[in-house]
Amino acid sequence: MVKQRFRATSYDVAEAAGVSQSTVSRALSGDPIVAAATRERIVEAARRLNYHIDSSASRMRSGRLNTIAVVVICPEDEDVRAFNPFHYALLGGICAAASARGMETIVSFQGAPDRLDDHFERSRRAIGMIVFGTSENRAAWDYFQASADDGCHVVCWGAPAPAHELPWVRADNHGGARAAVEHLLDHGYRRIVYVGEADCPQRQFAERYDAYAETLAAAGLMPRIMTLEPGHSRHEQGRRAAAALIDSGEPFDGLFTACDDIALGAMALLEERGLNVPGDVGVVGFDGVKAGQFSVPPLTTIEPDFAVAGQRLVDRLQALVDGEENTQGRVPVRLVVRGSALGRVATPA
């Protein structure tokens, strides 16, 4: 027979402290009307009985909310196996930032058009939403833009398209891309191709391409882009782009990719085709995903500060709710040098 654990109620605390239940509630919520000696007696009784306030019910009664909804936009088929691992790192940064501020998070993965839901604020479960995820699910982004237009408090990572004017936070894409290309140039790579999109819904990618092209032009070199095939995971897009690049017959000796998952796919294909990284081709990604540490060779990347990203998203949402101005939208990045772009030892591929 399993022994049932005793769970104290406010009635038990009130009886032990010799006060009413309403006095227990006021004392444990910090109401200054309760005398200090009475509060101490109640706190001691609550401690002895292992009594904890139901914080959710307390907030509902008081009208105060301290919860953020985090919506992660998935592909429409909701297959998270093909999900960019960068988004999991960003999710961790948001949850950690909220926790450090004494806030709670509700996390919801959404993708299928008939399952999109913005009920968190309307049902008084959260103060607002932080939204991020794949830019290819346009229906989902349109849905949450409409939510904001209808009065919901919504902040996003990246701002996926000009049509979406949600308050945003995103990485220093220009500075990061410039550092990536300069690193390749400093290590002898000259025929550097950008693997991504120059004109696409994902503003992050467009900003990275612009800085790539500007940095090459400043070095007297011509930019070249290998675009991505839609409808595939980023890893598969990287593989296909690298294959198309080799099959084109045009020489190249460096790749700067729009994200790490594309870079990892491209590196796998280069190895299959007999090209050495970094000897034949140098590769630099963007996002700082953990998988890059364990690739062969380890991937050189541009890493956003995920802790700062989480803090700025939470702060921007809180400012939006409070009706305050908050323009801290850029997150610092750093170049993480590993083995994938250490210098050429052969003629261009």
Side-chain angles (χ1 to χ4, degrees), residues 93-94 97-98 101 305-316 326:
I94 294 168
R101 287 156 175 74
D305 189 322
F306 290 107
V308 172
Q311 292 161 10
R312 292 194 174 166
L313 283 162
V314 171
D315 288 346
R316 185 125 207 212
N326 183 322

Side-chain angles (χ1 to χ4, degrees), residues 46-67:
R47 184 199 63 75
R48 191 170 64 252
L49 293 170
N50 196 30
Y51 171 76
H52 300 283
I53 298 175
D54 184 337
S55 58
S56 176
S58 176
R59 285 194 298 272
M60 289 296 289
R61 288 192 298 270
S62 67
R64 295 191 301 271
L65 287 172
N66 205 26
T67 302

Side-chain angles (χ1 to χ4, degrees), residues 270-292:
L270 292 172
E271 181 183 14
E272 291 174 14
R273 294 290 190 94
L275 293 173
N276 176 265
V277 177
D280 297 320
V281 183
V283 181
V284 179
F286 201 120
D287 277 350
V289 302
K290 288 293 184 183

